[in-house]
Structure formats: structure tokens, C-alpha cells
């Protein structure tokens, strides 16, 4: 008889649920994909239902439900922090405490009440509720699905209960904590402080800061070291809290921070200046240096050949690329759902391997199966939906489909590509993607301004055939989860004119950098996704068909959504996004829809009001 474990993360941001059967992932999904609310923090009722329906089981069939952190320990940290800074922070304290005293402090009861609502039963039969520590869940999500028998594990995020950075050693099915850096000293919160100060949304806009960094100069690096961060040679650090407000206030930074950087935070949606670009470049360089020092220290301490990463900072793919290139590790594996959503997965794995003491046999390719772990829809289901809304389409055979879409891409049209199981984690990996021709000089601006409706500086990622990655980029390793940045090969770069060399900042945006300009950032870098036939066979076959027509084994890949919207989950989500944007062709499984054939799209209100800006 199979053993099922349900893992949950909820109530802070990026709620998610995952289901293990005998230690193997059955499915995993974020609540935002169902609720259509970006970074949804609520109880993941839709994600849980999906998990149970996929396995065709009920709650009573579960061996355990594992939650990704310990609320009582987190409450202790909040109380100690407020007491430590008193009388400062009384407004923040007054805002936070009612929620804790009414709900979060009694999380076990709250979860039981939520499950009552899910089942509709007054006394549902529930398995044991297990609570792991936040960073333990991150570490488990990084190590247990990895391909390594043993590894060092580094977790870096904003904050869990107390830990903001933690080091672990994984061996077989055991996970041993080594050391941690406690709140309020946090690499993630330091980066978020600059996210806030440069006018972007905390817990959402950090990747914008990373994308903006190459437009700037690192002119504030020394100021950060002199005033904000004492970074030791071993990578450990302390922050000067005189400049920050997140312990007790309602903002990330304070007036002293403003004085240090000559003015108040940039107001969201206002013009980006060279100052913001220089700040982004500076905090990015500081973060990369901390990541490198911590990784090297962990290698010296453990002697292991492999490193696993998780926590929100592990989504900093520029830093990850440097860790891969500049540290002694032979192998690097990063959990694709590195943030809080992945904590659900880690909690479930911890319950299986530690609570139930089950052995572990690593898979050479990792246990995430390309992170394609969410809902899927058959061609019959797709057709039923399209017929219901009377949308014109063609259903093609596989061979005709790949040939047709390759032609569409080669003609510089943009395609919405919806296939098989939805991705788990923040990246679209070829199942819920918007794709285009990487060779097109206009593709980056078209996708940003007419389809994603987002800032023009934002770079796009390449999806490249695994066997051809070294033809385009200075790397020759697997990067299936789009978590490594690598330089574009020198031979493919476009030599800048003397006039172009005089440009700086955002002026560089429209200067083609290589023969794949749509995926080459201004510093000649790219956030690489390698595509192989085993992990994503349909996406692989499409790129192979495109290669056969054009000679190019790389295309543009961005997530299938507009700015502020979660990645699409269902055919209905995909069709709606297709009609709201200037995507030319929509491919739902084997069904192909041309924009020109569709009825005019009419909505009573401006749909842009539906999604909060990120």
C-alpha cells in the first residue's frame, strides 16, 4: 500500500502544495496559478484539491501533512525583535499582533478548520500535522531531489523563524545543520531594501534589480561596505540596522538610508535614472561576493564535491553562475522553486526521509522531472473548451504541429506555447511559455511592450538545445531550470562602434549585442535554459524543428502571462492572455489558433486593473 505525504507552505507569500507517493513527487503547484492572485499567501485550497484529485485519494489516505515552518518560533522572533527595539515600532507591533493572536499563533487549529472547509465535513479524518523549520524545509527541498549522494547545502533568504542564512550537510537520507546567521542580518532583506529603495515591489521586484544591474556602474559598492554591511572573508556578515526600518517599521529603509544615498526612494512607475541603475549594479555585486565567500567557506568546511542551493537568494541566477564558475565544486544543483513555494516540497521530503526514516536513492538527472509537476490538459479537454467559446482552431498531428510552429517563429511572430504539465516554481520552462525567434532584433522590445506590458529594460531568456549550449554560451553544463547566467560566446558578439561605446545606462538597450540579440543582455550575458529530450520532449522537438529550418538551436522563452499576472494554468487562462495581448499564434497542445481568425475581444473594464503591478 502506498504512503502519501502532503506538503504545504502558506500564510506569508507563494503558498503551495505538493504530494509525495512513497517518496516520489506526484504533483506540486502554487496557489497563485489557480486563484490568479500573484504570490497568493492564502491557504492553498485549490493546490491541495489538485494534489488529491491527481492521485485520486482523500485526506484520510495521507500518512502525514507537513507544514514548512514553525509558527511559534516565528512568533518568538517577532516578540523579541519588538522588545529589543522598543519603543520604536509600536505602529508595526499594533498592526501585526492581532493577526498573530487571532490566527497564526494557533496554526494547527487554523489548518484543521481550513481542511474542514475543504472537505465539507465537521470532523474530517486528518493525519498527523508535522511542522518543520523554515530553513530545514529549504535545505530539504535543495538536497533530497538533487542528483547527489552527498552535498553541502546553502540556504539564503529574507528570514524564516530566526535564520536568514544557513549551512547544512546532506548525506544519504540525513540532513545535518552546521551553522546559521540569525535575523535581522539578512542578505535577502538587504537586497529587498534596495528593491524597495529603487522603486520596485519587495518579494516580487528583486529580479528587476538583477536585470537592471548591467546598465549601471558599481559606484556605491564601497559605501555599502562602509555603512551597511560588514562582510567577513568567510562570507558571514552583520548589517548596521541604523539604516533599516524592517525590524519595527512599515518600510524597508529609513531617513538615514535616504541621506546616505542622497534622496528618498524612487516612486514606483516613475522614470528610472542612472542612480537606480548604479544602485542595482552595486547591490548585485555585493550579493554575488557574499554568495561566493559563503560557498567557498562551506566547501572548506565540508570537503564535499557538490553544492545545493535554496531560499529566495538562490533565484539570483547571476550569482549562481559565478558560484558555478568560480568555486571549487564539481556540481551545483539549485531547487527550481527556491522560494517559499519550494518549502512545501522540502517539508514533505523531510517528513518522508527524517520523520519516517526512509532511505534515499538519488536520480542521476534529479527528482524534479524538469519541474513539470502541475496540472495538464488533454487535447480533448482543450477542444471542448474551444468549441464551447466558438474559437476557430486547427488540430494538427505532432509532425505538422512542430513544422507549422517552427515556420511561425522563423517569420518573427510570437507564439503562446501551452503544453503538458505546468511548471512548479517561478520560471516558465517550455510548458506555459511565450516564445519567439532569438535572432530577431525587434523581439525583445515587442515582447516587453506589446505582450508583457512591462519595463523595456527587462531581458529575456534563451531556451537552447542541450547539445548546442556551448555553441552559443560560455558554459557546457545542464541548466534546465533557467537558474544560471552565462556569457554569450565571444564569436557571436557584435562589435560595438566607437559611438556606441560612448553610450551608458538605458541608452544601451537598443544596441544589438550578438547574433541572438533578443536574449543577449547589455553585458553580453544570458539566463540560460538548456532543453533536453528526456525532461521536456515536446519543447525539445519544437526547437529541433526550428533548428532544421533556420540552423538556430535557440529561441526566446518568457513566461506565459502579462505583467502582474501569475503564469497561466488552464486553456482558458491561456486564451484570455492570448486575446489581451499581441501574441500572434496560440498553441494549446495540438490545437493551433491564429489571432487573425478570432472574434474581437471585448471586456467591460480595462483588464490591466485586474493585476497589481509587480
Amino acid at each position: 500500500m502506498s504512503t502519501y505525504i502532503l506538503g504545504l507552505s502558506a500564510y506569508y507569500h507563494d503558498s503551495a502544495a505538493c504530494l509525495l507517493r512513497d517518496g516520489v513527487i506526484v504533483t506540486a503547484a502554487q496557489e497563485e496559478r489557480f486563484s490568479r492572485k500573484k504570490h497568493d499567501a492564502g491557504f492553498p485550497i485549490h493546490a491541495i484539491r489538485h494534489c488529491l484529485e491527481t492521485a485520486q485519494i482523500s485526506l484520510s489516505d495521507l500518512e502525514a501533512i507537513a507544514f514548512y515552518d514553525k509558527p511559534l518560533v516565528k512568533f518568538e522572533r517577532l516578540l523579541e525583535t519588538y522588545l529589543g527595539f522598543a519603543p520604536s515600532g509600536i505602529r508595526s507591533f499594533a498592526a501585526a499582533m492581532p493577526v498573530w493572536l487571532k490566527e497564526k499563533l494557533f496554526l494547527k487549529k487554523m489548518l484543521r478548520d481550513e481542511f474542514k472547509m475543504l472537505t465539507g465535513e465537521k470532523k474530517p479524518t486528518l493525519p498527523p500535522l508535522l511542522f518543520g523549520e523554515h530553513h530545514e524545509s529549504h535545505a530539504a527541498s535543495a538536497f533530497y531531489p538533487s542528483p547527489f549522494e552527498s552535498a553541502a547545502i546553502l540556504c539564503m533568504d529574507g528570514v524564516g523563524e530566526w535564520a536568514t542564512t544557513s549551512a547544512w550537510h546532506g548525506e544519504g537520507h540525513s540532513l545535518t545543520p552546521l551553522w546559521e546567521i540569525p535575523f535581522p542580518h539578512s542578505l535577502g532583506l538587504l537586497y529587498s531594501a534596495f528593491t524597495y529603495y529603487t522603486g520596485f515591489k519587495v518579494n516580487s521586484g528583486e529580479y528587476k534589480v538583477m536585470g537592471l544591474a548591467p546598465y549601471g556602474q558599481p559606484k556605491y559598492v564601497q559605501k555599502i561596505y562602509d555603512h551597511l554591511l560588514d562582510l567577513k572573508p568567510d562570507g558571514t556578515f552583520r548589517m548596521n540596522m541604523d539604516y533599516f526600518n524592517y525590524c519595527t517599521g512599515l518600510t524597508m529603509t529609513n531617513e538615514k538610508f535616504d541621506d546616505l544615498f542622497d534622496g528618498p526612494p524612487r516612486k514606483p512607475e516613475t522614470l528610472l535614472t542612472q542612480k537606480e541603475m548604479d544602485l542595482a549594479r552595486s547591490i548585485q555585486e555585493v550579493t554575488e561576493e557574499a554568495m561566493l565567500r559563503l560557498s567557498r567557506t562551506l566547501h572548506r568546511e565540508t570537503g564535499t564535491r557538490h553544492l545545493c542551493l535554496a531560499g529566495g537568494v538562490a533565484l539570483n541566477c547571476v550569482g549562481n553562475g559565478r558560484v558555478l564558475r568560480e568555486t571549487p565544486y564539481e556540481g551545483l544543483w539549485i531547487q527550481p522553486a527556491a522560494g517559499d513555494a519550494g518549502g512545501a516540497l522540502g517539508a514533505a521530503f523531510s517528513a518522508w526521509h527524517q520523520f519516517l526514516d526512509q532511505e534515499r536513492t538519488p536520480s542521476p538527472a534529479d527528482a524534479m522531472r524538469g519541474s513539470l509537476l502541475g496540472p495538464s490538459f488533454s487535447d480533448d479537454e482543450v477542444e471542448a473548451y474551444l468549441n464551447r467559446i466558438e474559437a476557430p482552431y486547427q488540430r494538427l498531428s505532432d509532425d505538422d504541429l512542430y513544422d507549422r510552429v517552427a515556420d511561425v517563429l522563423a517569420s518573427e511572430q510570437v507564439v503562446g506555447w501551452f503544453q503538458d504539465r505546468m511548471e512548479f516554481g517561478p520560471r516558465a520552462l517550455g510548458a506555459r511559455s511565450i516564445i519567439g525567434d532569438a535572432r530577431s532584433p525587434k523581439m525583445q522590445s515587442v515582447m516587453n511592450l506589446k505582450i508583457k506590458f512591462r519595463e523595456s529594460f527587462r531581458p529575456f531568456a534563451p531556451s537552447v538545445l542541450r547539445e548546442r549550449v556551448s555553441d552559443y554560451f560560455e558554459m557546457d553544463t545542464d541548466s534546465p531550470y533557467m537558474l544560471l547566467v552565462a556569457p554569450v560566446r565571444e564569436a557571436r558578439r557584435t562589435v560595438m562602434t566607437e559611438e556606441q561605446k560612448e553610450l551608458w545606462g538605458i541608452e544601451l538597450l537598443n544596441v544589438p549585442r550578438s547574433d541572438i540579440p533578443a536574449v543577449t543582455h547589455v553585458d553580453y550575458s544570458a539566463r540560460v535554459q538548456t532543453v533536453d529530450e528526456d525532461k521536456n520532449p515536446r519543447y525539445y522537438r519544437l526547437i529541433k524543428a526550428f533548428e532544421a529550418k533556420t540552423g538556430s538551436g535557440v529561441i526566446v522563452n518568457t513566461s506565459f502571462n502579462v505583467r502582474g499576472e501569475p503564469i497561466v494554468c488552464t486553456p482558458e487562462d491561456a486564451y484570455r492572455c492570448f486575446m489581451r495581448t499581441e501574441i500572434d499564434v496560440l498553441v494549446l497542445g495540438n490545437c493551433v489558433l491564429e489571432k487573425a481568425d478570432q472574434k474581437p475581444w471585448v471586456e467591460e473594464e480595462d483588464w490591466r486593473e485586474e493585476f497589481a503591478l509587480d
Side-chain angles (χ1 to χ4, degrees), residues 69-251:
D69 70 2
K70 292 182 181 290
L72 288 176
V73 182
K74 185 166 287 190
F75 184 66
E76 173 195 64
R77 188 250 301 167
L78 288 173
L79 286 181
E80 287 197 25
T81 300
Y82 284 126
L83 287 171
F85 283 85
S88 297
I90 188 65
R91 285 179 59 212
S92 177
F93 179 82
M97 283 305 104
V99 178
W100 273 93
L101 295 175
K102 185 179 177 182
E103 297 177 354
K104 292 182 179 179
L105 198 56
F106 307 100
L107 186 61
K108 184 173 284 191
K109 180 184 182 301
M110 193 161 106
L111 287 172
R112 291 187 182 279
D113 289 343
E114 298 276 19
F115 280 114
K116 284 179 189 176
M117 292 181 63
L118 186 146
T119 62
E121 302 171 16
K122 285 187 177 181
K123 291 187 177 181
T125 303
L126 291 180
L129 290 173
L130 309 176
F131 294 85
E133 289 191 354
H134 188 96
H135 270 236
E136 178 188 27
S137 296
H138 276 320
S141 78
F143 176 61
Y144 288 129
S146 81
F148 308 135
E149 174 63 30
S150 66
I153 305 138
L154 183 60
C155 303
M156 303 165 287
D157 66 0
V159 60
E161 292 88 5
W162 277 103
T164 69
T165 300
S166 63
W168 305 72
H169 182 252
E171 182 81 40
H173 75 291
S174 68
L175 198 58
T176 305
L178 302 177
W179 47 262
E180 65 182 47
I181 298 173
F183 182 86
H185 311 288
S186 167
L187 197 59
L189 291 174
L190 175 66
Y191 204 93
S192 290
F194 279 83
T195 301
Y196 165 81
Y197 188 74
T198 51
F200 301 119
K201 191 173 181 180
V202 172
N203 288 331
S204 177
E206 282 77 7
Y207 59 95
K208 296 185 188 182
V209 176
M210 185 175 65
L212 190 63
Y215 293 98
Q217 298 269 29
K219 62 184 292 184
Y220 297 107
V221 167
Q222 196 56 49
K223 187 173 280 191
I224 293 171
Y225 286 138
D226 288 345
H227 297 277
L228 304 182
L229 184 75
D230 180 13
L231 181 64
K232 303 299 184 185
D234 64 358
T236 57
F237 54 86
R238 287 187 66 83
M239 291 166 59
N240 184 347
M241 299 312 299
D242 291 346
Y243 292 88
F244 300 94
N245 203 31
Y246 60 75
C247 282
T248 57
L250 303 176
T251 59

Side-chain angles (χ1 to χ4, degrees), residues 21 127 475 581 591:
R21 179 174 54 225
M475 68 179 290
T581 64
C591 299

